[in-house]
Amino acid sequence: MGIDLTDVNKVYQSGEVEVHALKNASLHIADKSVVVILGPSGSGKSTLLNVIGGIDRYESGTIKVEGQTLHELKDKMLTEYRRHTLGFIFQQYNLIPTLTVYENVEVGRHLSENPLNMQDTLEKVGMWDKKDKFPFQLSGGEQQRVAIARALVKNPKILMCDEPTGALDEETGKKILTLLKYVNETYGTTVCIITHNHGIGEMAHSVIRMKSGEIVENYQNETPVHPE
Ligand code: ADP
Ligand code: ADP
């Protein structure tokens, strides 16, 4: 089923000024794919993820995810959708500082009706050994791994990643992107990633390029590279 956008428009009212953040965006994202979203700052990348993610409402057009038409969902159902169908990862890891790694990931598990196993999830992201540490005892890359585990343990269909490598050095960022590709291959999770890290393009099934609120390119990569 995947994700389908048809002529989606999103306008932000900024004082007197209207910002047309998405202009007639149409797009199909296949199930179990890795999608990379590129484009300059202010081009609408976060807005695209936020309308698909049910964080922002849109003015016109249609978004269908897994058979659900998002603008037809009442707030309560939209919250359920965000909780169960999706996982979110941001540039800031947003871990709870007073909870251990294990407890932070448990927060995700409690949101889910059919969570993954805690130990297995923490092992998959390489953080089982550090399950009793607190966020301040971890590097940025490790904190992002925990944030990925917290999203992943919910067993979501789709992971929405808004600049997950934005606060990391190049090499650590690459490792995080490789982990996201591994999650996609292991669990069949659809992974949508906003990034400035160009190397990721070759691992992705499709690369979307945005400019001034428009999708100006949607490149299908028939032979995505498998990271080592
Ligand atoms: P990107 O993620 O590519 O940097 P965004 O989707 O964040 O772009 O922003 C697209 C446009 O919408 C920009 O012009 C931005 O200033 C504007 N915008 C985003 N969020 C808001 C908001 N909450 N209120 C007003 N304008 C916004
Ligand atoms: P089970 O479902 O078999 O009870 P749990 O997921 O509760 O398994 O625990 C699996 C392992 O996770 C335990 O052996 C323990 O080492 C560890 N564990 C459980 N709870 C915590 C916690 N709050 N903090 C750290 N480690 C924990």
Side-chain angles (χ1 to χ4, degrees):
M1 283 194 282
I3 302 170
D4 281 290
L5 276 75
T6 312
D7 291 329
V8 174
N9 286 281
K10 171 73 194 174
V11 178
Y12 289 110
Q13 198 71 41
S14 183
E16 305 271 286
V17 187
E18 284 192 342
V19 181
H20 214 140
L22 282 183
K23 296 175 191 161
N24 294 319
S26 295
L27 181 65
H28 173 72
I29 295 174
D31 269 335
K32 303 180 195 248
S33 59
V34 175
V35 180
V36 169
I37 303 163
L38 305 174
S41 180
S43 59
K45 303 183 298 295
S46 295
T47 304
L48 182 69
L49 275 202
N50 290 346
V51 294
I52 297 172
I55 292 177
D56 277 347
R57 295 284 190 177
Y58 46 98
E59 271 71 52
S60 68
T62 303
I63 303 179
K64 264 193 163 185
V65 183
E66 298 295 315
Q68 303 183 84
T69 303
L70 297 191
H71 65 260
E72 291 173 354
L73 301 181
K74 300 245 192 298
D75 285 347
K76 195 168 164 231
M77 290 302 292
L78 201 64
T79 303
E80 292 290 297
Y81 160 77
R82 281 199 299 268
R83 254 184 214 165
H84 300 304
T85 307
L86 306 179
F88 293 92
I89 295 154
F90 300 98
Q91 178 171 333
Q92 270 73 36
Y93 321 113
N94 300 330
L95 300 177
I96 299 173
T98 53
L99 300 183
T100 64
V101 164
Y102 190 96
E103 291 163 347
N104 265 284
V105 177
E106 269 189 320
V107 170
R109 188 179 62 160
H110 288 142
L111 291 173
S112 178
E113 282 161 346
N114 59 335
L116 301 176
N117 176 276
M118 287 287 292
Q119 179 165 351
D120 186 48
T121 305
L122 278 161
E123 282 175 356
K124 288 279 194 303
V125 303
M127 291 301 293
W128 177 248
D129 292 351
K130 301 205 169 163
K131 68 183 169 63
D132 298 320
K133 302 269 187 216
F134 288 90
F136 77 88
Q137 297 172 301
L138 304 176
S139 69
E142 287 171 338
Q143 291 185 61
Q144 193 60 297
R145 287 173 185 275
V146 178
I148 291 170
R150 179 182 54 191
L152 182 60
V153 77
K154 299 196 300 171
N155 200 8
K157 282 254 192 280
I158 306 164
L159 274 184
M160 306 297 248
C161 314
D162 193 342
E163 300 212 29
T165 64
L168 302 173
D169 64 71
E170 174 97 17
E171 197 180 320
T172 309
K174 264 191 199 144
K175 286 185 183 155
I176 291 296
L177 296 172
T178 302
L179 173 61
L180 291 169
K181 172 81 173 173
Y182 169 74
V183 165
N184 161 261
E185 291 179 353
T186 306
Y187 295 100
T189 317
T190 299
V191 180
C192 303
I193 311 171
I194 296 176
T195 182
H196 294 288
N197 195 316
H198 292 282
I200 178 74
E202 56 190 41
M203 328 181 180
H205 300 92
S206 62
V207 178
I208 292 164
R209 203 174 289 276
M210 298 197 65
K211 202 177 166 192
S212 310
E214 289 183 69
I215 295 170
V216 291
E217 189 186 341
N218 183 2
Y219 169 74
Q220 304 300 311
N221 184 2
E222 302 301 334
T223 53
V225 171
H226 181 80
E228 69 286 349

Coordinates of all heavy atoms in Angstrom, one line a residue, residues 10-15 17-22 37-50 56 162-163 194 196 210-213, ligand 1:
K10 N 0.4 22.9 1.6 CA 0.4 23.3 3.0 C 0.9 24.8 3.0 O 1.9 25.1 2.4 CB 1.5 22.4 3.7 CG 1.8 22.9 5.1 CD 0.7 22.6 6.1 CE 0.9 23.4 7.4 NZ -0.3 23.2 8.3
V11 N 0.1 25.6 3.7 CA 0.4 27.0 3.8 C 0.5 27.4 5.3 O -0.3 27.0 6.1 CB -0.7 27.9 3.2 CG1 -0.4 29.4 3.3 CG2 -0.9 27.5 1.7
Y12 N 1.6 28.0 5.6 CA 1.8 28.5 7.0 C 1.5 30.0 7.0 O 1.9 30.7 6.1 CB 3.2 28.4 7.5 CG 3.7 27.0 7.8 CD1 4.6 26.3 7.0 CD2 3.2 26.3 8.9 CE1 5.0 25.0 7.2 CE2 3.6 25.0 9.2 CZ 4.5 24.4 8.3 OH 4.9 23.1 8.6
Q13 N 0.7 30.4 8.0 CA 0.5 31.9 8.1 C 1.5 32.4 9.1 O 1.6 32.0 10.3 CB -1.0 32.0 8.7 CG -1.6 33.4 8.6 CD -2.0 33.6 7.1 OE1 -2.5 32.8 6.4 NE2 -1.7 34.9 6.6
S14 N 2.3 33.3 8.6 CA 3.4 33.9 9.4 C 3.2 35.4 9.5 O 3.6 36.1 8.7 CB 4.7 33.5 8.8 OG 5.8 34.0 9.6
G15 N 2.3 35.8 10.5 CA 1.9 37.2 10.6 C 1.0 37.5 9.4 O 0.0 36.8 9.2
V17 N 2.1 37.3 6.4 CA 2.7 36.6 5.2 C 2.2 35.2 5.2 O 2.2 34.5 6.2 CB 4.2 36.7 5.3 CG1 4.9 36.1 4.0 CG2 4.7 38.1 5.5
E18 N 1.9 34.7 4.0 CA 1.6 33.3 3.8 C 2.8 32.6 3.2 O 3.4 33.1 2.2 CB 0.4 33.1 2.8 CG -0.9 33.4 3.4 CD -2.1 33.0 2.5 OE1 -1.9 32.8 1.3 OE2 -3.2 32.9 3.0
V19 N 3.2 31.5 3.8 CA 4.3 30.7 3.3 C 3.8 29.5 2.7 O 3.2 28.6 3.4 CB 5.4 30.4 4.4 CG1 6.5 29.6 3.8 CG2 5.8 31.7 5.1
H20 N 4.0 29.3 1.4 CA 3.5 28.1 0.7 C 4.5 27.0 0.8 O 5.4 26.9 0.0 CB 3.2 28.5 -0.8 CG 2.0 27.7 -1.3 ND1 1.1 28.3 -2.2 CD2 1.6 26.5 -1.2 CE1 0.2 27.4 -2.5 NE2 0.5 26.3 -1.9
A21 N 4.5 26.2 1.9 CA 5.6 25.3 2.2 C 5.5 24.0 1.4 O 6.5 23.4 1.2 CB 5.5 25.0 3.7
L22 N 4.3 23.7 0.9 CA 4.2 22.5 0.0 C 3.3 23.0 -1.1 O 2.2 23.5 -0.9 CB 3.6 21.3 0.6 CG 4.5 20.4 1.5 CD1 3.7 19.2 2.0 CD2 5.8 20.0 0.8
I37 N 15.3 12.4 1.4 CA 14.7 13.7 1.0 C 15.8 14.8 1.1 O 16.3 15.0 2.2 CB 13.5 14.1 1.9 CG1 12.5 13.0 1.8 CG2 12.9 15.4 1.4 CD1 11.4 13.0 2.9
L38 N 16.2 15.3 0.0 CA 17.3 16.3 -0.1 C 16.7 17.7 -0.5 O 15.6 17.7 -1.1 CB 18.3 15.9 -1.1 CG 19.0 14.5 -1.0 CD1 19.9 14.3 -2.2 CD2 19.8 14.4 0.3
G39 N 17.4 18.7 -0.3 CA 17.0 20.1 -0.7 C 17.5 21.1 0.3 O 17.8 20.8 1.4
P40 N 17.6 22.4 -0.2 CA 18.1 23.4 0.6 C 17.2 23.7 1.8 O 16.0 23.3 1.9 CB 18.2 24.6 -0.3 CG 17.4 24.3 -1.5 CD 17.3 22.8 -1.6
S41 N 17.8 24.4 2.8 CA 17.0 24.8 4.0 C 15.8 25.7 3.6 O 15.9 26.5 2.7 CB 18.0 25.7 4.9 OG 17.3 26.1 6.0
G42 N 14.6 25.4 4.1 CA 13.4 26.1 3.8 C 12.7 25.6 2.6 O 11.7 26.2 2.2
S43 N 13.1 24.5 2.0 CA 12.5 24.0 0.8 C 11.3 23.1 1.0 O 10.6 22.8 0.1 CB 13.5 23.2 -0.1 OG 14.1 22.1 0.6
G44 N 11.0 22.8 2.3 CA 9.8 22.1 2.6 C 10.0 20.7 3.0 O 9.0 19.9 3.2
K45 N 11.2 20.3 3.3 CA 11.5 18.9 3.6 C 10.8 18.5 4.9 O 10.1 17.4 5.0 CB 13.0 18.7 3.8 CG 13.8 19.0 2.5 CD 15.3 18.7 2.7 CE 16.0 19.5 3.8 NZ 16.0 21.0 3.6
S46 N 11.0 19.3 6.0 CA 10.3 18.9 7.3 C 8.8 19.0 7.2 O 8.1 18.1 7.7 CB 10.7 19.9 8.4 OG 12.1 19.8 8.6
T47 N 8.3 19.9 6.4 CA 6.9 20.0 6.2 C 6.3 18.8 5.6 O 5.3 18.2 6.0 CB 6.5 21.3 5.4 OG1 7.1 22.4 6.0 CG2 5.0 21.4 5.2
L48 N 7.1 18.3 4.6 CA 6.7 17.0 3.9 C 6.6 15.9 4.9 O 5.6 15.2 5.0 CB 7.6 16.7 2.8 CG 7.3 15.4 2.0 CD1 6.1 15.7 1.1 CD2 8.5 15.0 1.1
L49 N 7.6 15.7 5.7 CA 7.6 14.6 6.7 C 6.5 14.9 7.8 O 5.8 13.9 8.2 CB 8.9 14.6 7.5 CG 10.1 13.8 6.9 CD1 11.0 13.4 8.0 CD2 9.6 12.5 6.2
N50 N 6.3 16.1 8.1 CA 5.3 16.4 9.2 C 3.8 16.2 8.7 O 3.0 15.8 9.5 CB 5.5 17.8 9.7 CG 6.8 18.0 10.5 OD1 7.4 17.0 10.9 ND2 7.2 19.2 10.8
D56 N 1.5 17.8 11.3 CA 0.8 19.0 10.7 C -0.4 18.6 9.8 O -0.3 17.6 9.1 CB 1.8 19.7 9.7 CG 2.7 20.7 10.5 OD1 2.5 20.9 11.7 OD2 3.7 21.1 9.9
D162 N 14.1 13.1 10.7 CA 14.3 14.5 10.3 C 15.7 14.9 10.7 O 16.0 15.2 11.9 CB 13.3 15.4 10.9 CG 13.2 16.8 10.3 OD1 14.3 17.1 9.6 OD2 12.3 17.5 10.4
E163 N 16.6 14.8 9.8 CA 18.0 15.1 10.0 C 18.6 14.4 11.2 O 19.2 15.0 12.1 CB 18.3 16.6 10.2 CG 17.8 17.4 8.9 CD 18.6 18.7 8.7 OE1 19.8 18.7 9.1 OE2 18.1 19.6 8.1
I194 N 15.4 12.7 6.0 CA 16.0 14.0 5.6 C 17.4 14.1 6.0 O 17.7 13.9 7.2 CB 15.2 15.2 6.2 CG1 13.7 15.2 5.8 CG2 15.9 16.5 5.9 CD1 12.9 16.3 6.5
H196 N 21.6 15.8 4.9 CA 22.5 16.6 4.0 C 23.7 15.7 3.7 O 24.6 16.1 3.0 CB 23.0 17.8 4.7 CG 21.9 18.8 4.9 ND1 21.3 19.5 3.9 CD2 21.2 19.2 6.0 CE1 20.3 20.3 4.3 NE2 20.3 20.1 5.6
M210 N 13.8 18.5 -3.1 CA 12.8 19.6 -3.0 C 13.4 21.0 -3.2 O 14.6 21.2 -2.9 CB 12.1 19.6 -1.6 CG 11.4 18.2 -1.4 SD 10.3 18.4 0.0 CE 9.1 19.6 -0.6
K211 N 12.6 21.9 -3.8 CA 13.0 23.2 -3.9 C 11.8 24.1 -3.8 O 10.8 23.9 -4.5 CB 13.6 23.4 -5.3 CG 14.5 24.6 -5.5 CD 15.2 24.6 -6.8 CE 15.8 26.0 -7.0 NZ 16.2 26.2 -8.4
S212 N 11.8 25.1 -3.0 CA 10.7 26.1 -2.8 C 9.3 25.4 -2.7 O 8.4 25.9 -3.3 CB 10.7 27.1 -3.9 OG 12.0 27.6 -4.2
G213 N 9.3 24.4 -1.9 CA 8.0 23.7 -1.6 C 7.5 22.8 -2.7 O 6.5 22.2 -2.6
Ligands
ADP1 P1 13.1 22.5 5.3 O1 12.8 21.3 6.2 O2 13.4 22.1 3.9 O3 14.2 23.4 5.9 P2 10.6 23.5 6.2 O4 9.6 22.5 5.8 O5 11.0 23.5 7.6 O6 11.8 23.4 5.2 O7 10.0 25.0 5.9 C1 9.4 25.3 4.6 C2 8.9 26.7 4.7 O8 7.9 26.9 5.6 C3 10.0 27.7 5.1 O9 9.8 28.9 4.4 C4 9.7 27.9 6.6 O10 10.1 29.2 7.0 C5 8.2 27.8 6.6 N1 7.7 27.3 7.9 C6 7.9 26.1 8.4 N2 7.3 25.9 9.6 C7 6.6 27.0 9.8 C8 5.7 27.5 10.8 N3 5.4 26.7 11.9 N4 5.2 28.7 10.7 C9 5.5 29.5 9.6 N5 6.3 29.2 8.6 C10 6.8 27.9 8.7

